[in-house]
């Protein structure tokens, strides 16, 4: 049984209050993770993080670059161990787990390069810009203070580091709360930070019962930035309890694949199946509904079923595309969505095969879905994909925009001009033409609209989101 420690104010500690971590592949308990649940002890963590900020924010940029570089090197050195933890606690395949570690290290390197560039090129205003002789100005980027980072289970390393790296290099300090499934890697990362000598209080890994204490974290007066990835319900609840806090929220998604009449259906079916089912559909940017006209419907369905044969299903060590879902609860939720669709006369195009012992659900394509069905608008975070038929493009846009979510969308067409026109009408952060939706390449801004989020991430934008401007105006 693994017994990881928390990094609190420079000390690796344990407590006498634990939460179990369950291996999704076996449903067996694999670790007991210590928690801090007493309000005074939680508040003390934030107070110490604030105290650390007072000195860490005044350190040189080179010092913080060296630390982040050493941190990235340490993660690189431990890449196999870290990938193994991902396999164990979130049932990601070894191949994808290693990919997540490598992507994270690259993200850290990009953060260093981009921030150096930003610091070297502050916002400046000459007398000519200001139309005032003898006046010029420079606006630097400065850290806010304590960042509360709350990261999800599905990319527990990458989506933790996309919060930590920009916060740390810019001089903020961090208290992070990882999802329980995902806490083993989170706590390991904090240990590595400790190993490379981040000063005490700069990084704190705080496990706590989030249902009980989430609001206490969000409302702590020392928190200046909250960067949360998770459900819209929890994100909004926490955001409501913050005070003068800069918010970066990445919430749910219901990304549509909008297949136009002139689409290359081979390409569309390939991208849709890959986009919907990789990591069992447990990606915020997974394709979560397909919209096609009657004209292309039958052909597209045939091609998607053909593509589905490439989607391997199995336990993580077999490196499948679809593996165990994160929990028994998630499997049940997906099965409920399928039952509801069947009750409302949807057509299930693939056998509903599942194994309760390891939370495995084989991919399910659901045809003739309409707005009455839960699967038309809820986010399964699992390997089920609804197909909806639209009458015309206006009807399709209306169906797409009826969703509470607006993370990303895909449009498949050979008409670039039309693609751009339709893209501008879709309420989503990013529209991908002839490609499945995805967050990467990480240098791109990453954002959602409506209930999909608030604030912008991506290498450069996360650095901007985690810093404020500070202007100095010179008058001669
Ligand atoms: O779950 C959300 C992740 O940010 C998805 O990242 O689209 O690059 O796989 P990705």
């Amino acid at each position: 049984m693994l017994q990881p420690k928390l990094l609190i104010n420079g000390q690796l500690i344990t407590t006498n209050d634990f939460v179990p971590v369950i291996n999704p592949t076996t449903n067996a308990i694999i670790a007991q993770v210590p928690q801090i649940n007493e309000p005074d002890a939680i508040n003390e963590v934030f107070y110490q993080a604030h105290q650390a900020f007072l000195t860490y924010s005044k350190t040189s940029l080179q010092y913080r670059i060296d630390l982040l570089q050493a941190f990235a090197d340490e993660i690189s050195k431990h890449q196999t161990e870290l990938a193994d933890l991902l396999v164990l606690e979130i049932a990601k395949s070894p191949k994808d787990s290693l990919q997540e570690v490598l992507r994270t290290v690259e993200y850290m390197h990009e953060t260093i390069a981009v921030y150096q560039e930003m610091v070297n090129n502050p916002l400046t205003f000459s007398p000519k810009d200001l139309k005032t002789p003898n006046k010029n100005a420079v606006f630097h980027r400065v850290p806010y203070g304590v960042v509360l980072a709350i990261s999800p289970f599905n990319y527990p390393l990458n989506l933790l580091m996309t919060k930590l790296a920009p916060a740390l290099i810019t001089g903020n300090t961090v208290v992070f709360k990882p999802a329980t499934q995902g806490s083993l890697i989170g706590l390991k990362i904090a240990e590595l930070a400790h190993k490379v000598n981040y000063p005490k209080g700069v990084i704190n890994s705080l496990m706590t019962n989030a249902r009980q204490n989430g609001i206490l974290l969000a409302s702590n007066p020392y928190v200046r930035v909250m960067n949360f990835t998770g459900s819209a319900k929890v994100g909004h609840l926490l955001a409501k309890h913050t005070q003068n806090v800069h918010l970066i929220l990445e919430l749910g998604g219901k990304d549509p694949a909008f297949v136009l009449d002139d689409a290359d259906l081979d390409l569309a079916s390939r991208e849709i199946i890959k986009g919907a089912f990789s990591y069992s559909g447990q990606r915020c940017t997974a394709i979560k509904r397909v919209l096609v006209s009657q004209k292309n419907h039958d052909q597209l369905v045939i091609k998607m079923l053909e593509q589905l044969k490439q989607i391997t299903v199995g336990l993580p060590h077999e490196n499948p595309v679809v593996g165990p879902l994160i929990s028994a609860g998630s499997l049940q939720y997906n099965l409920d969505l399928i039952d509801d669709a069947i009750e409302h006369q949807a057509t299930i195009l693939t056998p509903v095969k599942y194994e309760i012992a390891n939370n495995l659900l084989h991919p399910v394509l659901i045809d003739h879905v309409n707005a009455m069905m839960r699967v038309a608008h809820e986010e399964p975070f699992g390997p089920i994909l609804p197909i909806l038929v639209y009458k015309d493009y206006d009807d399709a846009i209306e169906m797409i925009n009826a969703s509470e979510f607006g993370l990303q969308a895909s449009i498949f067409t050979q008409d670039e001009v039309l693609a751009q026109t339709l893209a501008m009408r879709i309420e989503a952060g990013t529209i991908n033409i002839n490609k499945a939706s995805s967050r990467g390449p990480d240098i791109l801004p990453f954002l959602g609209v409506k209930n999909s989020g608030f604030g912008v991430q991506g290498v450069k934008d996360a650095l901007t989101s985690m810093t404020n401007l500070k202007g100095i105006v010179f008058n001669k």
Side-chain angles (χ1 to χ4, degrees):
M1 181 84 52
L2 298 169
Q3 289 191 318
K5 294 193 166 149
L6 307 179
L7 178 64
I8 301 292
N9 196 27
Q11 303 287 322
L12 290 168
I13 63 154
T14 191
T15 65
N16 47 21
D17 189 354
F18 296 92
V19 60
V21 175
I22 292 165
N23 179 347
T25 308
T26 60
N27 284 317
I29 295 179
I30 46 171
Q32 293 289 354
V33 173
Q35 300 190 97
I36 299 178
N37 283 318
E38 309 76 39
D40 286 352
I42 290 173
N43 290 337
E44 180 67 14
V45 178
F46 287 96
Y47 172 72
Q48 293 298 346
H50 170 72
Q51 290 299 115
F53 171 74
L54 299 178
T55 45
Y56 183 68
S57 58
K58 295 184 180 66
T59 59
S60 71
L61 175 59
Q62 194 54 51
Y63 170 77
R64 298 194 303 272
I65 287 175
D66 291 346
L67 268 179
L68 194 60
Q69 184 58 56
F71 196 11
D73 291 346
E74 206 56 34
I75 290 174
S76 246
K77 248 191 262 168
H78 288 80
Q79 56 182 247
T80 311
E81 187 189 340
L82 294 170
D84 288 349
L85 276 181
L86 292 175
V87 177
L88 192 66
E89 68 173 331
I90 62 158
K92 194 169 269 191
S93 70
K95 184 168 151 266
D96 289 350
S97 295
L98 185 60
Q99 183 49 38
E100 179 168 343
V101 180
L102 300 178
R103 178 181 183 177
T104 300
V105 171
E106 193 182 334
Y107 191 97
M108 296 169 88
H109 290 151
E110 285 179 345
T111 296
I112 292 171
V114 170
Y115 194 57
Q116 273 176 315
E117 176 83 18
M118 281 167 80
V119 171
N120 290 338
N121 296 289
L123 195 56
T124 54
F125 298 86
S126 66
K128 193 167 157 227
D129 296 328
L130 300 172
K131 297 185 183 72
T132 314
N134 308 326
K135 191 187 263 302
N136 60 63
V138 55
F139 280 70
H140 299 285
R141 302 231 58 109
V142 293
Y144 281 116
V146 179
V147 174
L148 169 61
I150 302 181
S151 51
F153 82 81
N154 62 338
Y155 287 74
L157 174 56
N158 190 263
L159 291 180
L160 172 62
M161 192 52 73
T162 56
K163 298 168 174 50
L164 288 182
L168 294 170
I169 198 169
T170 52
N172 295 285
T173 58
V174 184
V175 177
F176 76 84
K177 155 72 183 83
T180 304
Q181 301 296 136
S183 60
L184 297 182
I185 193 136
L187 300 194
K188 183 73 203 172
I189 285 300
E191 261 184 50
L192 297 182
H194 184 58
K195 198 166 166 201
V196 300
N197 291 324
Y198 266 97
K200 70 173 188 155
V202 170
I203 303 179
N204 302 275
S205 53
L206 174 64
M207 284 300 289
T208 186
N209 180 333
R211 274 171 205 267
Q212 183 188 312
N213 296 320
I215 290 170
L216 189 70
L217 305 189
S219 61
N220 186 285
Y222 290 114
V223 172
R224 302 301 328 283
V225 178
M226 182 171 81
N227 188 336
F228 170 93
T229 305
S231 74
K233 192 170 147 219
V234 176
H236 287 141
L237 175 73
L238 296 185
K240 218 169 72 186
H241 287 86
T242 57
Q243 310 159 29
N244 298 329
V245 165
H246 300 270
L247 293 174
I248 308 160
L249 307 175
E250 189 208 328
L251 309 171
K254 189 71 180 168
D255 293 3
F258 180 11
V259 182
L260 304 196
D261 283 344
D262 69 338
D264 172 343
L265 296 184
D266 290 317
L267 170 78
S269 56
R270 198 166 58 238
E271 284 294 316
I272 289 170
I273 294 299
K274 186 183 74 177
F277 295 112
S278 32
Y279 188 41
S280 316
Q282 298 178 114
R283 294 166 53 241
C284 52
T285 47
I287 289 183
K288 293 180 181 127
R289 48 191 173 140
V290 178
L291 287 94
V292 62
S293 70
Q294 201 58 62
K295 170 178 178 281
N296 276 337
H297 171 272
D298 295 0
Q299 269 305 307
L300 185 71
V301 164
I302 290 169
K303 286 178 189 291
M304 286 200 295
L305 286 170
E306 194 54 38
Q307 287 296 329
L308 210 48
K309 293 182 187 154
Q310 314 287 326
I311 300 297
T312 48
V313 181
L315 300 186
H317 69 273
E318 299 166 301
N319 273 315
V321 179
V322 169
L325 290 174
I326 193 64
S327 65
S330 172
L331 172 61
Q332 191 53 53
Y333 176 62
N334 275 270
L335 293 174
D336 289 350
L337 291 181
I338 296 167
D339 283 347
D340 173 79
I342 292 172
E343 267 168 41
H344 288 87
Q345 273 80 52
T347 312
I348 309 295
L349 296 173
T350 46
V352 181
K353 275 172 59 187
Y354 58 93
E355 286 143 52
I356 288 181
N358 40 39
N359 303 316
L360 197 60
L361 174 61
H362 290 241
V364 180
L365 270 189
I366 311 180
D367 201 4
H368 302 123
V369 169
N370 62 47
M372 296 296 291
M373 301 172 196
R374 289 172 58 194
V375 75
H377 46 88
E378 291 184 31
E379 182 183 25
F381 235 62
I384 67 181
L385 182 63
I387 303 165
L388 297 98
V389 173
Y390 61 78
K391 288 197 222 56
D392 52 34
Y393 294 162
D394 286 342
D395 184 40
I397 299 276
E398 203 173 305
M399 284 158 81
I400 290 171
N401 289 345
S403 172
E404 65 175 298
F405 295 118
L407 188 59
Q408 295 205 354
S410 298
I411 300 179
F412 293 94
T413 176
Q414 307 197 38
D415 183 339
E416 255 190 40
V417 176
L418 180 60
Q420 285 199 46
T421 310
L422 294 173
M424 294 308 286
R425 293 177 60 195
I426 291 178
E427 294 164 1
T430 304
I431 320 297
N432 305 275
I433 313 299
N434 292 323
K435 194 93 189 133
S437 38
S438 95
R439 173 167 56 102
D442 291 328
I443 200 79
L444 291 173
F446 181 53
L447 71 157
V449 300
K450 304 197 287 188
N451 276 351
S452 283
F454 188 80
V456 188
Q457 299 179 88
V459 175
K460 180 161 188 195
D461 295 276
L463 289 162
T464 307
S465 301
M466 295 244 183
T467 47
N468 208 351
L469 284 170
K470 180 156 201 154
I472 302 178
V473 182
F474 296 93
N475 297 282
K476 287 186 190 134

